[in-house]
Amino acid sequence: MSWLNRLPRRLTPRLMAGATLQMLLISAAVGALAYWSGRRGGLERAELERQQGRITLLSSQLSGRLTAPRLINAINQALIRQGQLNLNDFNELAGQFVAQMRSYPVGYINYGTIQGDFIGVERRDDGTLTINEDSHSPLGRGTLGIYAVTGRGQRGQLLEAIPFMSTFHEEAWYSETVKAGKPLWSSIYSWEE
C-alpha cells in the first residue's frame, strides 16, 4: 500500500502545476488579446475623432467663406426689390459690385442677363480690381472688355478686349441662365481665369 499512497502525492503536485501553468497561459493570452483589442479600438476611436475634427474644421471654414457671398446676395436682392439697384444700368451695377468687393473677401461678383450680356468685378491675384463686361455697349456684344477700376469705383481705362466671347461662355452661371431663359442661381462650378 505504501507504493499506492506515494503515487498520488507525486502526481497531484504535477497535475496542479500543469493546470496552474495552463490557467496562467490562458489568462495571459486573454489579457494580451484584451489589451491589444482595446488599444486598437482606442487608436481607431482616436483616428475617427481626428478625422471628424478635420471635417468639422473644413465645414466651419467653408461656412465662413460662404458668409460674405450670401450677405452680398441678400443685399443685392433687397436693393433690387426696393428699386434701388437698376439691373439694366451696368455702370451702376459695376459701382455696386466694386463697393462690395472692397468691403467683403470675395474674388468675383457678376450679373448676367438672359440676352447674354454680363458685368462682373474681379479681384486679381495682386489684389487689384477689374471690371469685366460683355454687353451691347461700349464694345459690342461678344467682345469682353476688361477695364481698370478708378479710385471712385468706376470703369476706367480699357486694359484688354477679347473678341468672340460668345464661343467661350460655357460657365454654368452663363450657360444655365441662357438655357433656362430666366434669372436663376447656377450650380457650383470651378472657374479659371
Side-chain angles (χ1 to χ4, degrees):
M1 274 295 205
S2 67
W3 177 78
L4 287 174
N5 286 341
R6 275 204 263 162
L7 183 63
R9 274 186 251 164
R10 278 200 217 164
L11 188 57
T12 301
R14 286 184 181 168
L15 289 175
M16 288 298 282
T20 302
L21 182 61
Q22 285 178 349
M23 292 297 273
L24 285 173
L25 290 173
I26 290 171
S27 296
V30 168
L33 286 172
Y35 171 78
W36 287 109
S37 175
R39 182 176 173 174
R40 191 172 99 200
L43 291 174
E44 287 173 355
R45 264 192 312 278
E47 179 62 24
L48 180 63
E49 287 176 15
R50 190 169 46 147
Q51 287 175 356
Q52 287 174 339
R54 285 184 197 154
I55 291 169
T56 301
L57 178 62
L58 178 61
S59 177
S60 174
Q61 289 173 341
L62 287 174
S63 293
R65 293 201 66 149
L66 293 175
T67 300
R70 288 180 178 145
L71 182 59
I72 291 168
N73 287 336
I75 290 168
N76 290 340
Q77 285 177 337
L79 291 172
I80 293 165
R81 275 191 221 117
Q82 296 168 2
Q84 295 180 13
L85 187 59
N86 181 356
L87 297 177
N88 295 317
D89 185 346
F90 276 17
N91 289 326
E92 181 182 343
L93 285 172
Q96 176 71 16
F97 293 166
V98 167
Q100 291 170 340
M101 293 289 287
R102 289 178 174 165
S103 299
Y104 299 101
V106 294
Y108 201 91
I109 302 173
N110 69 334
Y111 170 76
T113 68
I114 58 173
Q115 292 81 22
D117 297 347
F118 79 88
I119 184 84
V121 177
E122 172 184 6
R123 184 181 319 279
R124 300 246 170 158
D125 289 339
D126 64 3
T128 60
L129 300 178
T130 58
I131 296 173
N132 302 326
E133 182 176 353
D134 183 356
S135 64
H136 288 88
S137 68
L139 299 178
R141 181 72 185 89
T143 300
L144 175 67
I146 301 174
Y147 299 89
V149 174
T150 67
R152 300 180 74 183
Q154 298 171 336
R155 183 187 297 114
Q157 174 186 1
L158 177 66
L159 301 174
E160 186 177 1
I162 303 172
F164 311 112
M165 279 304 296
S166 57
T167 59
F168 295 108
H169 288 318
E170 296 177 6
E171 290 96 354
W173 72 266
Y174 177 84
S175 61
E176 290 176 11
T177 303
V178 171
K179 184 177 178 182
K182 65 180 183 177
L184 55 82
W185 289 105
S186 71
S187 59
I188 295 174
Y189 63 95
S190 178
W191 179 70
E192 294 181 28
E193 228 179 285

